[in-house]
Amino acid sequence: MAVSPCLGVNAQKKHWWVRNRKVVEKYVKDARNLFATHEQNEIVSAINLLDAALALSPRLETALELKARSLLYLRRFKDVADMLQDYIPSLKMSTDDSGSVSSDNSSQTLSRERVKLLPSNNSSSDSAGRDPSFKCFSVSDLKKKVMAGLSKNCDKEGQWRYMVLGQACCHLGLMEDAMALLQTGKRLASAAFRRESICWSDDSFSLPTTINNSDISSATTPPSTPRRNPTPLSEFENISQLLSCIKFLIRRRTAAIAALDAGLYSEAIRHFSKIVEGRRPAPQGFLAECYMHRACAYNASGRIAEAIADCNKTLALDPSCIQALDTRASLFETIRCLPDCLHDLEHLKLLYNSILRDRKLPGPAWKRHNVRYREIPGKLCALTARIQRLKLRVASGETANVDYYALIGLRRGCSRSELERAHLLLCLRHKPDKATNFIDRCEFADELDVDSVKDRAKMSALLLYRLLQKGHSSVMSTIMDEEAAIKRNKASGALQQAKHATVQVPQTQNSNSKIEPKADLASSTNSSDANAFQGVFCRDIAAVGNLLSQVGFNRQLPMKYEALSC
């Protein structure tokens, strides 16, 4: 019996689909077994198997979840964020704001057109030539049912996205997004657990275990540490601890920014210092943002050296930070250090040109920036004019007129002790040997970035330290010149006084010559009277001693011979 070609094609398609499905299931099963070993090499092999499975079935939820959790376990947070970037709240809001007007208008017109495609129940639907089995329905009711089904499926199948992406955002420094995602995921998980527990009897009640329970504690546990018998309770505990840490950091940063906006710069510096110098490491992106805000507070309070140091740390953690480059260039221009200012502005110009060439801001799409892409052309034009003005100033010879007093934080005319004290404090804070101490309190999204961050921090700290040493020597020479001028003024004043005294000496000698004879007579009479009294006293004492010896008193009269010195 001959088989029709159509049936043969359908059988071939069915066989191809069944074969791919079995291959995908085998890949997922093997990847799950490799993931259960909790070894990095095995998990890397599991990710390769999952990539092969997703190439055959791109929307397979189990493979997506297992891959995301494997990347999270390996601390590849950037890959997790790139994989699930459509679910990041801040990124979604920014994209919605850009095309909200056009999308709303188009959705309204499409919905109206679709409503007109199907008549209502009151219309002549049973007219001749129309299928009587066809029934009209309400578009609004269909929309409600579809949205309800989508929300149920999202709560049941997609809640792992909130947990995994929330942890990845936390380690990447996106604290607000992490808090929103983790709170939503925790709420959805507890609601699903309550719905399932209502349907269970007391005998069959047990805690379900899933594939996502083993790596939730990766935020607090290193990847090489294996875990035993993970349960949803440990997952919720780790999520709760992570949420409390996130809220604490957000509260501190909010208080610091509020103090900075209110003009309480010392209070803002204190809050930001507590964040960056905390005992628990903070994410790299979050620390870079805090260092940048503290640099603004230092700049507003007049502490130029500390502001430059914080800008250096920000650029060491994030080399493409536009605000840090602009702020450091402004600080160098404030103290009239024009070559370093031009260097930063040229770097910023290259960054602007690369943004316009790539037609996007530097870094991944989820990375935060203080500027928007549409602002870059105007900023580039203003930057070019600023560079030209600074080059003219350098050509006119303003490079040697650096304000080292503002750099060190001293007033003009300060003493030597004030300079030594300020220089000692700055050297202790900004020594090149201590330039990399802040890295110990930083949690990196990628461990490969540590060496490059250390190199950038050492180089910028060395340049700042040399500038401080140059400023110390310059101010010290100024102070020594001032002290030498004061000594010369004192010497000239003493000479003038001596000349004035020599003019008055002859007049005083004539007046003193008349008074000297009378004074000599008075002194001679006084001295003679005193000698007479002393001789009489000594003679009487000797007579008394002779009389006592004649009477028979052989004992000597106790007396002090010092009285006979006359």
Side-chain angles (χ1 to χ4, degrees):
M1 181 178 178
V3 180
S4 62
C6 295
L7 293 176
V9 172
N10 291 332
Q12 185 178 1
K13 288 183 179 180
K14 184 176 180 181
H15 177 69
W16 172 81
W17 167 248
V18 172
R19 182 180 60 191
N20 284 348
R21 186 177 63 183
K22 290 182 179 180
V23 171
V24 169
E25 291 177 355
K26 183 179 182 301
Y27 286 160
V28 173
K29 183 179 179 181
D30 294 341
R32 187 175 298 177
N33 294 332
L34 291 173
F35 182 78
T37 60
H38 302 297
E39 296 181 2
Q40 291 189 359
N41 295 329
E42 301 295 335
I43 293 176
V44 171
S45 302
I47 292 175
N48 295 330
L49 290 176
L50 292 171
D51 289 335
L54 290 172
L56 298 176
S57 180
R59 296 184 180 181
L60 185 61
E61 194 74 11
T62 307
L64 289 172
E65 180 180 1
L66 191 57
K67 181 182 178 182
R69 294 190 177 280
S70 300
L71 293 173
L72 184 65
Y73 188 89
L74 296 176
R75 303 183 66 85
R76 293 165 58 177
F77 306 116
K78 294 181 180 179
D79 295 336
V80 176
D82 293 336
M83 177 182 173
L84 303 174
Q85 66 179 0
D86 295 336
Y87 298 90
I88 298 178
S90 60
L91 181 61
K92 191 174 182 181
M93 289 173 61
S94 62
T95 54
D96 290 344
D97 292 339
S98 61
S100 59
V101 178
S102 60
S103 62
D104 291 341
N105 295 333
S106 61
S107 61
Q108 290 179 1
T109 54
L110 288 174
S111 61
R112 290 173 183 174
E113 291 176 357
R114 288 172 182 171
V115 168
K116 294 179 181 179
L117 290 178
L118 295 175
S120 61
N121 292 329
N122 296 329
S123 62
S124 58
S125 59
D126 296 333
S127 59
R130 191 180 296 274
D131 188 3
S133 63
F134 181 79
K135 296 181 179 180
C136 297
F137 54 89
S138 175
V139 177
S140 60
D141 294 339
L142 176 63
K143 185 177 181 181
K144 291 179 181 179
K145 291 180 182 180
V146 171
M147 293 304 295
L150 289 176
S151 62
K152 288 181 180 179
N153 293 333
C154 180
D155 293 344
K156 184 177 179 180
E157 299 178 359
Q159 65 185 11
W160 62 269
R161 289 182 171 86
Y162 296 98
M163 298 292 189
V164 176
L165 186 58
Q167 293 177 81
C169 289
C170 175
H171 292 286
L172 292 173
L174 307 176
M175 292 301 181
E176 289 82 1
D177 296 329
M179 185 176 66
L181 290 167
L182 290 176
Q183 285 180 342
T184 305
K186 188 177 178 182
R187 185 174 61 251
L188 292 176
S190 60
F193 185 76
R194 283 197 305 269
R195 285 196 301 269
E196 293 180 1
S197 62
I198 291 173
C199 303
W200 293 341
S201 61
D202 295 337
D203 297 334
S204 63
F205 189 86
S206 63
L207 295 177
T209 58
T210 57
I211 62 173
N212 57 358
N213 299 325
S214 59
D215 62 334
I216 291 300
S217 59
S218 61
T220 57
T221 307
S224 60
T225 304
R227 302 166 184 81
R228 299 179 180 178
N229 299 327
T231 61
L233 292 179
S234 64
E235 175 183 351
F236 285 135
E237 289 175 358
N238 292 319
I239 293 299
S240 300
Q241 292 177 2
L242 195 60
L243 271 174
S244 63
C245 179
I246 291 171
K247 291 178 181 178
F248 177 73
L249 291 176
I250 289 177
R251 282 198 301 269
R252 277 243 166 111
R253 187 187 62 181
T254 304
I257 293 176
L260 181 60
D261 294 338
L264 305 174
Y265 304 119
S266 59
E267 190 72 12
I269 293 170
R270 185 176 67 86
H271 282 295
F272 282 124
S273 299
K274 286 184 177 180
I275 294 175
V276 300
E277 298 174 2
R279 286 178 290 181
R280 181 170 181 174
Q284 177 181 357
F286 185 76
L287 275 185
E289 184 179 354
C290 292
Y291 277 122
M292 188 64 251
H293 286 299
R294 194 174 72 167
C296 295
Y298 276 135
N299 185 19
S301 60
R303 301 169 65 176
I304 305 297
E306 283 83 357
I308 294 174
D310 279 351
C311 287
N312 293 338
K313 294 176 182 177
T314 303
L315 290 171
L317 295 172
D318 185 10
S320 61
C321 184
I322 297 174
Q323 185 181 5
L325 282 172
D326 192 10
T327 303
R328 192 171 69 174
S330 300
L331 291 171
F332 283 133
E333 188 177 3
T334 301
I335 62 175
R336 297 190 293 273
C337 189
L338 301 183
D340 294 333
C341 177
L342 279 173
H343 181 269
D344 285 342
L345 292 180
E346 292 289 348
H347 187 188
L348 188 60
K349 184 178 179 181
L350 292 175
L351 188 59
Y352 283 161
N353 289 327
S354 64
I355 290 172
L356 294 177
R357 183 185 67 247
D358 300 336
R359 296 185 178 181
K360 70 179 186 68
L361 294 174
W366 42 264
K367 185 179 179 181
R368 292 179 180 175
H369 295 279
N370 294 318
V371 297
R372 296 183 179 181
Y373 177 77
R374 61 173 177 265
E375 299 175 357
I376 298 299
K379 288 181 175 294
L380 182 59
C381 294
L383 180 63
T384 304
R386 183 181 177 185
I387 291 174
Q388 293 297 328
R389 290 195 300 269
L390 288 176
K391 286 183 178 180
L392 291 176
R393 292 176 61 183
V394 170
S396 63
E398 294 188 21
T399 55
N401 191 18
V402 181
D403 189 4
Y404 291 113
Y405 287 94
L407 175 65
I408 302 176
L410 295 173
R411 57 177 178 82
R412 292 188 177 274
C414 63
S415 62
R416 186 192 293 260
S417 60
E418 292 176 349
L419 173 62
E420 293 295 341
R421 181 178 179 277
H423 180 256
L424 178 61
L425 291 176
L426 289 175
C427 287
L428 291 176
R429 289 177 184 173
H430 308 300
K431 287 184 68 174
D433 298 337
K434 298 181 179 180
T436 58
N437 290 345
F438 74 99
I439 297 177
D440 298 333
R441 294 183 292 272
C442 180
E443 180 185 355
F444 290 92
D446 190 357
E447 296 298 332
L448 299 177
D449 297 338
V450 179
D451 294 335
S452 60
V453 170
K454 286 184 178 180
D455 294 338
R456 289 192 294 267
K458 287 180 180 179
M459 182 60 66
S460 58
L462 182 60
L463 294 176
L464 177 60
Y465 187 74
R466 288 178 179 175
L467 188 62
L468 291 174
Q469 294 298 326
K470 192 182 295 184
H472 174 261
S473 60
S474 176
V475 176
M476 180 60 72
S477 63
T478 304
I479 292 176
M480 292 175 66
D481 293 340
E482 291 177 355
E483 291 177 351
I486 292 173
K487 289 182 179 179
R488 287 195 299 269
N489 293 333
K490 287 183 179 180
S492 62
L495 289 175
Q496 291 178 359
Q497 290 179 359
K499 291 179 180 178
H500 185 67
T502 54
V503 172
Q504 293 181 351
V505 164
Q507 298 178 358
T508 56
Q509 287 180 353
N510 295 329
S511 60
N512 292 332
S513 61
K514 299 178 181 179
I515 302 171
E516 284 178 357
K518 298 180 180 179
D520 293 338
L521 292 174
S523 61
S524 62
T525 55
N526 292 331
S527 62
S528 61
D529 294 338
N531 294 328
F533 290 137
Q534 290 177 359
V536 171
F537 176 75
C538 295
R539 186 174 60 249
D540 293 341
I541 291 297
V544 170
N546 292 328
L547 291 174
L548 291 174
S549 62
Q550 292 175 6
V551 173
F553 293 98
N554 295 326
R555 291 175 298 179
Q556 295 181 359
L557 182 68
M559 56 187 295
K560 291 185 179 180
Y561 291 97
E562 290 137 358
L564 302 176
S565 62
C566 57

